[in-house]
Amino acid sequence: MALEIERKFLVNSNCYREAASSKSRIRQGYICRESGRTVRIRIRDGRGFLTIKGPSPNGISRYEFEKEISLDEAEHLFELCQPGVIDKTRYLVPMADGHVFEVDEFYGENDGLVIAEVELSSEDEPFELPPFIEREVTGDRRYYNSHLTTNPYTTWS
């Protein structure tokens, strides 16, 4: 298992699209999402992934295990997922300081939501904020993908 350390931000413009080095379409569902622990199935650009994440006591760090599985396995495991699917395009935006921001544009019931994440090697690692960042939402569970499957962005008041 690896420790995932990431910060999450809302995005205020689409200038990240021009700065992106790549983009990919992602569809994901959750077999389990309880007490901050998740088991996720993801299909990204025709490849399947199984991911298990532990709880995040501080909203920044948590354990993550990810394994590539066959596309056929991923499609079959989607049948076991709880209701609610995440559909999004992910843009990878490299920064001059060496960090890469992952910017997700959501569709369907989460249409209109755009979130950027940056992975870090330590919780206090400094990083450069790109101009498209609006505000930080790290630790706000409303913006977790697993939460968005049951409480979609378009239903927020």
Side-chain angles (χ1 to χ4, degrees):
M1 272 202 226
L3 187 63
E4 175 189 58
I5 303 169
E6 69 181 11
R7 305 263 301 268
K8 193 177 288 234
F9 304 87
L10 292 179
V11 172
N12 63 13
S13 79
N14 63 5
C15 68
Y16 59 86
R17 291 179 186 166
E18 295 167 8
S21 60
S22 67
K23 72 176 187 174
S24 56
R25 193 67 180 250
I26 296 173
R27 181 170 58 108
Q28 66 189 44
Y30 291 85
I31 293 174
C32 173
R33 50 179 181 251
E34 295 178 9
S35 303
R37 294 168 177 83
T38 60
V39 178
R40 176 184 78 200
I41 302 302
R42 175 180 278 175
I43 296 175
R44 181 177 183 170
D45 294 335
R47 297 169 59 197
F49 299 89
L50 169 67
T51 305
I52 301 168
K53 294 187 178 193
S56 177
N58 62 4
I60 297 175
S61 302
R62 63 182 175 173
Y63 285 99
E64 177 184 68
F65 169 84
E66 185 168 81
K67 173 109 174 124
E68 186 167 356
I69 58 177
S70 74
L71 181 58
D72 186 57
E73 289 170 322
E75 291 288 0
H76 281 93
L77 286 171
F78 251 97
E79 295 175 19
L80 301 176
C81 288
Q82 296 173 350
V85 173
I86 296 293
D87 183 18
K88 62 187 180 181
T89 296
R90 171 166 291 168
Y91 295 82
L92 299 181
V93 181
M95 302 296 294
D97 67 358
H99 290 96
V100 175
F101 275 77
E102 298 175 343
V103 181
D104 292 341
E105 285 182 3
F106 291 83
Y107 307 112
E109 290 190 294
N110 291 297
D111 193 51
L113 180 61
V114 183
I115 296 176
E117 298 176 350
V118 62
E119 291 200 13
L120 306 169
S121 56
S122 69
E123 290 185 13
D124 59 352
E125 178 181 347
F127 59 94
E128 173 187 350
L129 280 177
F132 52 80
I133 294 299
E134 179 177 327
R135 68 180 170 90
E136 187 165 10
V137 293
T138 301
D140 186 338
R141 296 192 183 280
R142 294 177 303 162
Y143 296 100
Y144 288 14
N145 284 300
S146 59
H147 183 80
L148 290 168
T149 60
T150 57
N151 298 285
Y153 182 69
T154 57
T155 65
W156 299 4
S157 49

